[in-house]
Structures are given as structure tokens and as C-alpha cells.
Amino acid sequence: MAYPATSTARRWSLFWLLVAITLVVNLPIILMVMNSFQTTEQLVSRTSILPHDLTLANYRYLNDRTSFWQFLWNSFTVSGVSTVTSAAIAALAGYALSRFRGRLVTGYSRALFVVQMFPIILALIPLFILFRTLGLINSPLSVIILYTVVHLPFATWMARAFFDTIPRELEDAALVDGCSRFGAFVRIVLPLSGPGLAAIGIFSFLFSYNEFFVANVFLKDQSTMTLPVGITMFMQQYSTDWGSLMAAATLTVVPTFILFLGIQKWITYGAVSGGVKG
Amino acid sequence: MTTKARAHLRKAGMLASIAAAALIGLAPMAASSADAVKLNFWDMIWGPPEYIDAAKELVGEFNKQHPEIQVEYRSVPWNNWYQTFVTAISSGTAPDISTGAGYQAVQLYDQGAIRPIDDVIAELKADGELDDFLPNTVDTLRYDDHYVALPWGIDIRVWFYRKDLLEQAGVKVPTTWEELRAAAKATTKDGKYGIVASGDTGGSHFLYNAILNNGGGLFTADRKLDLKNDRNMEAFEALAAMVADGSVSPASTGYNSDDRRAAFNRGQAAFTLDGPGLIAQAGAEAKNIGVLPPLAGPHGDKATIFWVNNIMVYEQTKHPDEVKTFLKWWSKNQLPLWTKGNTGQLPTRKSIAADKAIKDDVARAYVLDNYVPIGKTTATNASGIFPALNDVEGEGAMQSFAQELWQGKPVGPIVDTAETRLKSILKE
Amino acid sequence: MTVQPRLAGETGSWRASARSWYASGDALPFLLLAPSIVLMLAVIAYPMLTGFMYGFSTGTLLKPGKFVGLDNYLRLLQSPDFLHALWFSLLFAIFNVIGCYVLGLALALLMNQDVPFRGFFRVALLLPWIVPSIVSIVSWRWMMADQHALFNQIIGAFGGSPIYFLSDQNWAIAAVIVIKIWRSFPFMMLSLLAALQGIDRSLYEAAALDGASRWNQLRYVTMPQLRNISIVLCLLMTIWTVNDFDTPWLLTQGGPANATENLVLLAYRYTFGRNDVGLGSAVSFITLIILMALVVVMLRRQRER
């Protein structure tokens, strides 16, 4: 809870302080948005900081002549599916870590760390060959699987710590009533996990949505590319289409921004702080 | 049978006959598309966004004219391109045919991934079409006694200058290195610099241009590194002298080619080294930019760096004959890539170069006539191109070299570091 | 654990023992963990092993080379490139973790106050983290690329001479660190803020009753409560920083003259720039080992409490 009973003057001075900080911190992003309203020629030849002669040309170009919406759709699908899968698997595993002890559980917990630390570049070629034998090259499924696994450690830790905050007495009561262990999980614990699962989902979605390196390797076809990779299409061998790049970048950020605005209330104590208690 | 059941049956019957008719109607199409060979063509991004449209349209043309061969076009971004191809090849998903930078074919050939096109060259010779290629282009792409790729475009580096800045400083257009140095110094004032360079691959091209212009080269005849020979060192010293004069923009080290071009187009520097597409892409500033005549080095040599960009066939292709057909057709009918695609490359075929559209672009025609004949590859002095060139150009050693040069560090230590690193890359 | 008596009519003893295993309760954790174990084995363990094998050979990605034993590792330990990358990775991690933690904590404390439109600020301050790296770093480049860039215009307004951030080794390192802090602090802020909101208010009331000042409350009530979370957060951030490819690559590509090349970039250069998969894999493995050592040490400290 916040410090109680602050004076109005104090509240508003803090407000303006935050406004200033927010503006300064977000300067690169504000610039990017402003630049998106200028064409590439204007950007390249301009010497002033603030743009003038704003135009919607870039946005129109994105809409008419590129596969931007296809990229956006791909990004959403890939991130969405991997988030749901990751959250589901992490919930199961997190519950196991929270409620059980033993060699399997401890071993698994340690393995999670190794997965988290693993530099993905090492896995590039073997994974590519593996996915080829499975016929998954250029299929979004390859990237979905990778994202699910790579985000698993973090999601599992969050889930585990969140379940830690749910008192066992509730499940014990259900067990006494004749419920099975798993049944207790599904019927008692899961319904209480809304905020926790939401937080896991949000973080997972964000990581997947913004991810560039893996998507760049495994999704090469224009019909399956995600946004971060699609944006690189604006970069030629020795020059860049700045206007379109900035416009595409701005549009890329809008969905996640709105998403966060909508659910920021849910990212509360129960969800996050529990998640990182480790 | 009830009326309902009968109605059902009738409906089912109708559906069945529709389906049958559809199948029969579609059958010839199905048969032909089943017969049609599908090829995958990966093309790098050789120009502004309209290039991709023009290329796709051209592929569509081919598909219409050759219903039995259907080519699927994919545009490959330059970002991490080598990783793209290598991962595809190693997992068996290489394309049938692709374009690529000057040494891509020879490097991938050495790793067993490229199908040599000796047969294509023989056929072109028999048809008399081989003469259509500019001299020296086809034979540049020879390695290990095989032709590893067909030339599709030439990329070359030339010095550009800003007419307005030279006029303001009252300097005439330089024709030798001495004059360039003086002109660069004279135009360095009022926050503007004589020369703007970059620290990326485009920046390393300054080095190659200088070495070759002075009659030097990076290799000996048997492909051993020869970085420290007299002509090379002279070239490096000449560049370093211009840096010491203060004529080179200090931002060059951290610039990439975009930044460099942007600074030049904004009139913040008088000279820069770039490819022939610079003027066309400068938009409104094009009228202020001109091409320098080939500069004469201290010993009178005139030369510059160029790459004969490849179009190559992959070993993994299952339809070598169809690929050959497409390859020959593409090479012959490429003009739309210039007229509609605005590619920054120069054509390798005389028939395309003679087209009005190319000739009307004065700067490009000038470069074609005056620079291409004196173009040399990075392999110069060695006997032909070889696989390690890609690593030499791309690993970062030459880029770091350029970066340190623009920082004003003394030439000796920089060259030593570069030599160690290059030897390591060449596994000497 | 009791064993379920065999029911009449059942065939095969394995089914019975499977059932008794499930009933005993040993099975449940295994089944819960099974999906993730399978995925991790396939997607992480298999490549890790092959990558490990690569580290002992030379050769390119397309042509396998010959076995050279520990040669790659020995070469690395003597290579100035590697030592520099190692030094820079550690420097990068230390500065980033300290920087983003302090900034994140300060902002979390600020946001914990009763401020109007808190919800909006919570999201607005997340933007550096939300925006894809390829986009935000390009924007930063714009601001510091040359003498006319925004930063130098500001410096000029104060009468200074332009700083070429990306052309100078030290400034480039500073720039990479600052940008990484900028990208990392929102996560810290969010997590610490949530943790702050979980601290029992009565602790503060008790401290206030004892006459503790605001600062002492922070020092003796807040910080101890945040200790465990902070350690975990810093650990996570260290791992993410050491493994960070995007930030140095997109800003400077490891330049100028390899000043900002960390271990991941080095591995990438060896693998794809020099076509030497053995060296690249060796670098990756050394990175992994260093991180593992770090994690073990930090977790032990946490447990000591």
C-alpha cells in the first residue's frame, strides 16, 4: 500500500516530476513516432530536430504495398499461442515445484536455471536440422515451440512463487472431502490464479512479440515472418528506408502499449512480487 | 423412402455431381500444375522497395511464358544473409537458385553447396550470347576450373563530390590523389568536412579502393596474405594523411553507410566513396552531386574495387534443367529491374547497358564507360577469386581497420593488428 | 505407500503397478513436470550436446571438421579478442545491473506514492522495455550519430564541442551501457513496485512510532524486505545481460574496433563471420559455465540468510 495521507500539493508535485521523467525517458520513442510522419527523403535531408511537413505517406505505403498486416497477424498468432502453451505448462510445473519435494523436483529446478542461461546461438544449427526432419521449417510452429521452451523457466518460477502464496489449507480441505490431488489443483487453486496467470501471460507475450533473433533464423518466408523480422525488410544492402521503418516501428508498439494499459491493474502484488520471490 | 430422405438423397446427388464436374473441370489444370516444376528463387534486396515489386512482376512474366516451370520468388534481407543461406543449406532447404554478393558462390561452392554452371556457359557460347556479357565479368566467377556463378550485376565504388561545396570553396574537380587531398582540405570549414566515411563494410571499401587504385593488392599470386607491401602501405598512409589534415569527419568511425550517405546528401561533406546508385537515390539533391573521374594514384595507376554479383544454382536442386532455363531467361530479360526496380547495380550485359534508360542516367553511363573497365576484385594479384574472400570482407577485420584509421590512429599498429587477424581468418 | 490390491479381471501386472504408482502420489509431480521435461530435452538438451561436440572440432557449418580436442579452448584463453569480450561482458553486466536496479528502485519508490494517474505512468514508464530493440536502438543511434545529432545539439547549446559517441571506444561502451540500463529498468521497476506494495504496512507504522525518519524507514524496513527479491532480480538481469545480443549488435555491431564486443557477439562472429563453428561453440560454452558459476554463488548467498 502507498504511504498514507499525502497532501494535495505533494501529490501534484510528484505528478509533474513523473511527467518530466516520463518524457525524458521516452524521448527516443517520441522521436521515433514523430519521425514516422516524414518520408525517407525528408528524414535523410533534414537538419532540424523537430520534423515539419508531416505526412501520412509512410503509413499509407505500409498499408498498400507491404505485408505489414500479415506480419502483425503472424506476430500475434505466434506470441499468443506460445504464451498460452507456456502458461499452461508453467502452471503445471510451477504447481509441482510448489507443492512437492524430492529429487525429481530439485533436479528439475536446477535444470530450469541451465535452460534460462543457455545462449540460444549455440542451438541454432542443431535445432534447424531437428526442425527440418520434423518438416517444421518456415512453419510458425517451430518458433512457437522455441518461445514456449525459452520462456518456460521464468514462467515456471513466477507460477511456483505465486502458488506458494496460496495457502495449502485450501487444498488439504478439499482432499479431506475426497478430492484427488489433481482435482484439488484444478478446482481450488486454478480459479484463484487469475492475476498470477495473467502476469505470466503478459510477460511471455511481450518476450515473444519482441523477439528478433530466433524468428529471424526460422521464419524466412514473407507469409510467416513476424514483425521484428519484417521490419528488417526495409534495410537494403547499404541503405535503409527510414520512413517506413519508423512507421512500422510505431505501429508495432501500439498493440502492446494498449494491452498493457488495459491490464496494468492486474499486475499487482500477488502476480509479480510473488513471481520473483524465487 | 420418406420424402425427407429422398430430398436428402437428391441434395447429396446434386452435390456429388457438382463435385464430379468440378473435379473434371479442374482436372486439366490439376494435371498441368501437377506436371509443372516448382522452383524456389531467392533474390537479395538489390534496390529500394520497388525493386521487390519489379522482380516479382518479372518472375510472373516468366511463369506466364513457361507454364511448365513455376518459379516462386522470395526476397532475402541483407541482415544476417550468410546465416540465412548456411542454415538453409545445412538443413536441406536450400533454394534452387539465388542471387548473392560477389563471393557468395565461390564460398558456398567450396563447401559443396553450389552446382557449377559450366554447361550453361557452354550453351551461351554456342548460342553466341556469351559475347553479350561485359569483358572480364564471366571469367571473374571462375574457381577451381569451374564457373561457379553467372554474373548478374556489377557493384563498384567511385568517388562522388558535391558540386555546390566545391564551387563555394573555389576548388576544381580533382583528378589525382594529391588534388583530392588538397580539395578535401580546402572544403573542410564551417562545420563541414572534406570527406565523410563510415565504419561499416562500406567504410572498409575505402581501403580496397585505395589499395587497388595504387596498383596494390591484398594477396600474392598463390593466395597468401600480402597486406604490408609498398603500394598498400602507401595507400594507407595517403588515407591517414587526409585524416591527419582534419579533412575526414570524426563521426565516420561510428557511422554506417546510411549515416554517411545522409550526411553527404545533406551537404555536410564534399567527397565520399559509394556505389553507382547514390545519385539516383539522393532525391532532390541529385543535381548537386557529380562523379569524379578515375583518380590517378602517386604512380599514375587508375583502378577501383568492384564485385561481380552472382546468380548461382544450388547443388540441392532437383530440377537442374528447368533451373538452367530460368537462369538464362532471367539473365537475358532483366531490364525491368533497372527501369522499374531502380536497382543500384550496373548491368553486366551489353544489351541491357545499351538500353536508353541506362544510357539516360548520365552518372551511371559514365561509371559504366570509365570505371568498370578498371575495376578489380578483392582477390587482386591472386589467381582468381577464392572462398576465403567472403570471410576476409565480412568478418570485421577490415571494418575495424577502417574504424581505427578514421579515429586517427597511426597506420603501423593498425596494419599489424589487421594482419594478425586476417592471417587467423585465412588460417595461415 | 500402500499398494493397491489387484482387481479381479485385470490382465498384466504393469497396469496394476502403474495404477498403484499413480494412487501413491509419487506419479503426480512427474506427470505435472512431464510436458516441460519433454520439451526441454528436445529443444535444449539435444542442441546443447551437439553444440558441446562442435566445441571440440574445427570446421564450418556445412563441412564438418576434424577432432581437435581442447585446442579451441586453449586458443581462446590466449586470444586477446576473447579476453576483451570476457572483460566487456562482465563490465556490461555489472554496470547494467547496478544501474537499472538503482533506477528501478528509485522509480518504484516514487510510484509507490499516492500520485494521480499512477496507472498510466506505470505503463508509460514501461515503454523502453516494451518497444522492440531493433526499433528503440535505431532511435538512439539517431540521437547520437554525429555532430548534428540531438545530443550534440544539446551539448552545443551549453557551449561544448561535439562528442562522437559511436566513434570513440570509451564513449561507445558508455553508450551501450546506458542504453541497456534504459531498456532494463522498467522490468526492475515493475517487479520492485509490486514487491513494495506487498510490504506489510504495520511495519512502517511501528517504525514511525519509534521515531524513525523516512530515510531510516527505507533502510531498515523496506530494504530488508526486498532483499530476497532483489537478489533473484539481479541474478536474472545478469543472465539476460551477459546473453544480450541485440543491444551491442544493433548499436555498434561490436565496434568501434571491437570495443563493444561481448561474448555472444564474439561467438556470432566466429561462427558466421569466420566460419569457425568450433571456436564459436567453445565461446558459448565458456559463457554458460561462467553464468552457472555466478548463479551457484549467488544462490548460496541467498540461502545463507
Side-chain angles (χ1 to χ4, degrees), chain A residues 41 43-47 61 65 124-125 128-129 132 137-138 212-213 216-217 220-222 225 232-233 235-242, chain B residues 45-50 53 56 74-75 77-80 83-84 87-88 90-93 155 157 205 257-258 261-262 265-266 268 281:
Chain A
E41 279 100 36
L43 283 172
V44 157
S45 49
R46 173 186 109 205
T47 42
Y61 174 77
R65 304 261 307 257
L124 221 51
I125 299 299
F128 210 82
I129 298 178
R132 199 246 318 192
I137 295 298
N138 261 321
F212 170 73
F213 194 69
N216 188 42
V217 173
K220 280 301 182 190
D221 212 18
Q222 272 217 297
M225 267 187 199
T232 62
M233 298 290 285
M235 300 172 167
Q236 296 175 58
Q237 186 177 20
Y238 296 120
S239 75
T240 303
D241 184 5
W242 288 110
Chain B
I45 301 184
W46 297 107
E50 53 266 30
D53 296 329
K56 279 197 187 145
R74 175 193 291 192
S75 182
W78 281 104
N79 194 12
N80 301 346
Q83 176 195 316
T84 306
T87 37
S90 68
S91 68
T93 51
D155 199 3
R157 290 293 170 262
H205 296 163
S257 291
D258 280 333
R261 238 174 258 127
N265 289 345
R266 283 200 296 262
Q268 281 160 4
Q281 289 183 11

Side-chain angles (χ1 to χ4, degrees), chain A residues 137-156:
Chain A
I137 295 298
N138 261 321
S139 154
L141 202 54
S142 61
V143 176
I144 290 175
I145 294 176
L146 272 176
Y147 285 167
T148 307
V149 174
V150 168
H151 303 151
L152 213 48
F154 185 70
T156 308

Side-chain angles (χ1 to χ4, degrees), chain B residues 73-399:
Chain B
Y73 179 87
R74 175 193 291 192
S75 182
V76 179
W78 281 104
N79 194 12
N80 301 346
W81 64 267
Y82 187 66
Q83 176 195 316
T84 306
F85 281 98
V86 157
T87 37
I89 294 171
S90 68
S91 68
T93 51
D96 295 282
I97 178 173
S98 88
T99 56
Y103 308 122
Q104 178 174 336
V106 73
Q107 182 167 40
L108 292 178
Y109 172 83
D110 195 52
Q111 308 201 28
I114 298 292
R115 192 174 184 285
I117 52 162
D118 301 321
D119 44 0
V120 176
I121 300 292
E123 285 170 28
L124 287 174
K125 201 164 182 184
D127 290 338
E129 278 192 38
L130 202 60
D131 294 328
D132 192 29
F133 285 89
L134 290 172
N136 250 346
T137 48
V138 175
D139 283 320
T140 304
L141 299 179
R142 239 181 111 72
Y143 172 73
D144 200 28
D145 284 332
H146 290 285
Y147 290 99
V148 294
L150 201 63
W152 94 261
I154 296 179
D155 199 3
I156 192 167
R157 290 293 170 262
V158 306
W159 281 96
F160 291 89
Y161 70 99
R162 285 207 59 113
K163 302 181 183 162
D164 48 358
L165 290 185
L166 256 63
E167 238 180 80
Q168 273 171 26
V171 170
K172 34 183 219 45
V173 174
T175 57
T176 69
W177 279 18
E178 285 300 306
E179 290 176 22
L180 177 65
R181 184 177 174 184
K185 201 159 180 197
T187 46
T188 303
K189 53 187 174 138
D190 303 330
K192 303 190 204 291
Y193 288 92
I195 296 176
V196 63
S198 52
D200 63 347
T201 308
S204 66
H205 296 163
F206 281 74
L207 298 172
Y208 304 133
N209 165 272
I211 294 176
L212 294 174
N213 198 345
N214 199 25
L218 283 175
F219 298 98
T220 61
D222 54 348
R223 297 177 183 168
K224 293 264 174 280
L225 185 67
D226 183 25
L227 188 61
K228 286 192 185 166
N229 66 47
D230 293 336
R231 292 295 181 101
N232 291 358
M233 293 305 284
E234 215 179 345
F236 298 144
E237 294 288 355
L239 285 173
M242 292 202 280
V243 176
D245 282 350
S247 317
V248 177
S249 165
S252 301
T253 310
Y255 270 173
N256 58 29
S257 291
D258 280 333
D259 304 320
R260 169 173 58 82
R261 238 174 258 127
F264 183 72
N265 289 345
R266 283 200 296 262
Q268 281 160 4
F271 298 97
T272 192
L273 184 80
D274 210 311
L278 176 72
I279 296 187
Q281 289 183 11
E285 291 292 318
K287 57 186 189 318
N288 284 322
I289 302 176
V291 181
L292 285 182
L295 296 172
H299 303 265
D301 310 82
K302 292 185 188 183
T304 185
I305 175 88
F306 84 160
W307 299 267
V308 179
N309 288 327
N310 316 154
I311 177 165
M312 66 206 97
V313 178
Y314 288 80
E315 192 62 55
Q316 286 176 17
T317 182
K318 301 196 179 68
H319 312 284
D321 293 317
E322 286 82 356
V323 169
K324 268 198 304 187
T325 314
F326 176 67
L327 174 60
K328 288 199 280 181
W329 188 93
W330 185 261
S331 173
K332 194 165 181 191
N333 295 298
Q334 280 173 357
L335 185 58
L337 295 180
W338 277 268
T339 51
K340 288 195 214 155
N342 289 330
T343 172
Q345 304 290 302
L346 292 174
T348 50
R349 297 184 71 133
K350 297 180 198 154
S351 53
I352 299 181
D355 186 272
K356 191 172 172 306
I358 310 277
K359 285 218 162 299
D360 279 349
D361 182 346
V362 174
R364 236 206 295 239
Y366 182 82
V367 172
L368 255 175
D369 294 330
N370 294 294
Y371 275 94
V372 171
I374 55 171
K376 296 186 184 175
T377 67
T378 326
T380 296
N381 289 345
S383 50
I385 62 174
F386 53 96
L389 291 174
N390 236 354
D391 293 338
V392 165
E393 283 195 6
E395 192 263 8
M398 297 305 277
Q399 288 83 335

Side-chain angles (χ1 to χ4, degrees), chain A residues 172-232:
Chain A
D172 291 342
L175 285 174
V176 165
D177 281 347
C179 206
S180 74
R181 216 52 207 276
F182 191 68
F185 172 60
V186 171
R187 258 178 261 154
I188 308 288
V189 178
L190 270 187
L192 289 175
S193 314
L197 289 180
I200 297 174
I202 292 162
F203 281 111
S204 267
F205 184 84
L206 191 67
F207 287 136
S208 307
Y209 187 73
N210 282 346
E211 204 280 336
F212 170 73
F213 194 69
V214 167
N216 188 42
V217 173
F218 289 94
L219 294 177
K220 280 301 182 190
D221 212 18
Q222 272 217 297
S223 62
T224 53
M225 267 187 199
T226 55
L227 274 173
V229 183
I231 286 180
T232 62

Side-chain angles (χ1 to χ4, degrees), chain A residues 25-36 43 46 49 231 235 240 242 245-247 249-250 253, chain B residues 256 259, chain C residues 128 131-146 149-151 166 179 182-183 247 250-251:
Chain A
V25 162
N26 283 322
L27 195 58
I29 299 167
I30 297 172
L31 264 178
M32 168 191 93
V33 174
M34 289 202 297
N35 282 342
S36 72
L43 283 172
R46 173 186 109 205
I49 309 175
I231 286 180
M235 300 172 167
T240 303
W242 288 110
L245 188 71
M246 294 289 170
T250 308
V253 180
Chain B
N256 58 29
D259 304 320
Chain C
V131 173
S133 54
I134 195 170
V135 159
S136 55
I137 294 176
V138 156
S139 232
W140 272 91
R141 269 195 70 107
W142 190 277
M143 296 202 300
M144 60 169 78
D146 61 11
L150 182 62
F151 285 166
L166 302 178
I179 293 178
W182 180 82
R183 287 186 64 209
T247 313
L250 291 172
L251 187 70

